Amino acid sequence: RKHRSSKRIFRAIFSAFRSGVLRGLFLELLLVGVVAYGVCFLKAEGIANLVLPAMPLTLTAPAVALLITFRTNQAYGRWWEARK
């Protein structure tokens, strides 16, 4: 019955803050958050007009999509073999 409880989502959310992975990545996540806030602030105040060119993203997107697809298929194949 514990796994059917509607309160389990709250336990999962709050247990994420005790996660070793989250604690290990805290400084990196904080840095990304501060930089993102700074960029949004500068853009909103009109201090800087920061523009990211779309060409690099357009050129790398197909390669990233194929890489993710192959990795997912490989992981699923391993899982399927382990299940047999």
Side-chain angles (χ1 to χ4, degrees):
R1 298 212 182 264
K2 186 176 182 180
H3 67 279
R4 292 183 182 219
S5 171
S6 61
K7 296 177 185 176
R8 70 184 175 146
I9 185 70
F10 297 113
R11 283 195 305 267
I13 290 170
F14 292 123
S15 70
F17 297 111
R18 294 186 304 254
S19 167
V21 174
L22 189 62
R23 281 189 267 152
L25 293 175
F26 178 74
L27 290 177
E28 289 86 354
L29 292 173
L30 182 65
L31 177 66
V32 168
V34 167
V35 169
Y37 176 78
V39 168
C40 290
F41 177 77
L42 293 174
K43 181 87 170 166
E45 293 296 320
I47 297 171
N49 187 14
L50 304 171
V51 178
L52 182 65
M55 185 58 71
L57 299 174
T58 304
L59 294 175
T60 59
V64 171
L66 284 174
L67 179 67
I68 290 172
T69 301
F70 288 137
R71 297 277 303 198
T72 303
N73 287 341
Q74 185 180 24
Y76 180 74
R78 278 192 236 133
W79 175 80
W80 190 256
E81 285 296 319
R83 193 176 156 177
K84 289 181 181 179

